[in-house]
Amino acid sequence: MSNVNSNNMTDAAICEIALNGVATITLNRPDIHNAFDDVLIADLTGKIETLDADPLVRVIILTGAGKSFSAGADLNWMKRMAGYSHGENLADSRALAKLMKVLNFASKPTIALVNGAAFGGGVGLAACCDIVIASDRASFCLSEVKLGLIPAVISPYVVEAIGVNQARRYFLSAERFNAETAKQIGLVHEIVAGDELAARGDEMANILLANGPAAMHAAKDLIYAVANKPISDAVIDDTAHRIADQRASDEGREGVGAFLEKRPANWSKK
C-alpha cells in the first residue's frame, strides 16, 4: 500500500490513505485487544467523519491491530464509569452512539476486516459496515448481559444485520460464536483464511473503486428508503424520482456513456 497520509503510531486508531483513495483505519490498542474507551471512541469518530468528508477518499476499511478486532469496552474505562453519575454515563453512551451512527451512515462504502475477536461494541462496528469480511479465526460475542448490561447503542445496527430472531438468542445468551455462525446469521458476508484477509479487503476495495462514487452513496440511501416499507405508491414514485435524478446527473451520463463507448468511466481506479 502506498500511503499519502499516515497518522502518528501512538494514535488510538491509525489512518492510512492509499493513492487510489482507499483509506484504512486500524484500531491500535492491541495490548488490550483494541477495547473501547472514550479516547478511542472520539478518535475513531473524528477519523471517520474526516474521511467521509474528503473527496479524494473512495472507500473506508476498518480493521484491528494484533490478534483482535475489538474486545468491546476497556475494563479500566468501565471501572471509571462505575463511579459516574447518570448524566456522565449518558454522555459517554451518546458518544458511542454517535460513533455507530457516523460509521453506519457514512456516504462512502465501508468494509470491516474482522481479524480476530469482536465482542460487544466490536460486533456493533462490524454491523455498521456495508461489507464484512472475517478471518476464519474470528469469533463474536454480544457479552453485555454477562456484566449485567445490555447492547443498547449497537442494537439498531446488530438487529438490522442478524434479525430479531437471532438477536433474541445472542443478546440473551451471550454465547460466543465463530465466523461460520456469524455468516449464517447475516453478520458476516464472507470468510477467508487469516493470512488472506488484507488481500481480500484490497480486492473488494478495487471492486468498489470501479463503481460510481455518487451512485454508491445514492444506493446506500435507497436501501434505507425502501427497507421494511410496504410497496406503496409513494415508495414507487420515490424510486422513480431517484433513478431519474441519477440518470440526469453528470455521473450517470458519464457511466452510461462509458458503457456504450466501451471505455472505463472517469472515476474508475485500480
Side-chain angles (χ1 to χ4, degrees), residues 10-243:
T10 61
D11 286 356
I14 303 168
C15 179
E16 298 174 309
I17 306 175
L19 295 174
N20 62 359
V22 176
T24 300
I25 302 175
T26 304
L27 306 180
N28 189 38
R29 308 179 81 203
D31 53 325
I32 54 170
H33 302 281
N34 302 315
F36 291 144
D37 66 359
D38 48 351
V39 174
L40 176 56
I41 290 168
D43 192 18
L44 187 53
T45 303
K47 283 182 168 63
I48 296 168
E49 288 179 322
T50 298
L51 293 174
D52 202 36
D54 186 342
L56 298 178
V57 171
R58 296 275 302 278
V59 178
I60 301 171
I61 295 174
L62 179 64
T63 193
K67 296 181 179 181
S68 298
F69 181 67
S70 176
D74 178 350
L75 291 178
N76 288 324
W77 183 44
M78 292 179 68
K79 288 177 184 176
R80 294 203 313 271
M81 285 190 289
Y84 283 3
S85 67
H86 181 272
E88 289 170 326
N89 267 301
L90 183 57
D92 256 10
S93 299
R94 282 175 169 161
L96 182 57
K98 179 182 178 182
L99 167 59
M100 298 298 162
K101 180 180 178 180
V102 166
L103 178 58
N104 191 75
F105 293 105
S107 64
K108 312 290 172 68
T110 54
I111 303 171
L113 299 182
V114 184
N115 53 301
F119 283 17
V123 177
L125 290 177
C128 288
C129 287
D130 300 314
I131 299 167
V132 183
I133 305 173
S135 161
D136 56 3
R137 298 190 294 267
S139 60
F140 302 82
C141 185
L142 292 151
S143 54
E144 286 84 353
V145 293
K146 285 186 178 293
L147 304 174
L149 304 174
I150 56 174
V153 302
I154 67 172
S155 62
Y157 315 104
V158 177
V159 172
E160 187 173 72
I162 71 176
V164 171
N165 189 48
Q166 299 294 350
R168 290 175 69 165
R169 173 175 178 172
Y170 291 105
F171 278 23
L172 301 182
S173 70
E175 295 169 86
R176 186 167 179 162
F177 53 97
N178 62 19
E180 185 58 42
T181 298
K183 183 180 177 185
Q184 291 172 2
I185 66 176
L187 181 62
V188 165
H189 294 101
E190 188 175 334
I191 303 169
V192 298
D195 57 1
E196 298 174 4
L197 187 62
R200 182 55 183 149
D202 288 341
E203 289 175 2
M204 183 58 68
N206 281 327
I207 290 170
L208 295 168
L209 290 175
N211 304 330
M216 288 191 291
H217 182 194
K220 290 180 73 165
D221 284 346
L222 174 64
I223 293 166
Y224 285 103
V226 302
N228 302 315
K229 292 183 180 178
I231 305 175
S232 64
D233 288 343
V235 168
I236 291 169
D237 189 57
D238 178 57
T239 60
H241 276 282
R242 287 171 185 268
I243 186 56

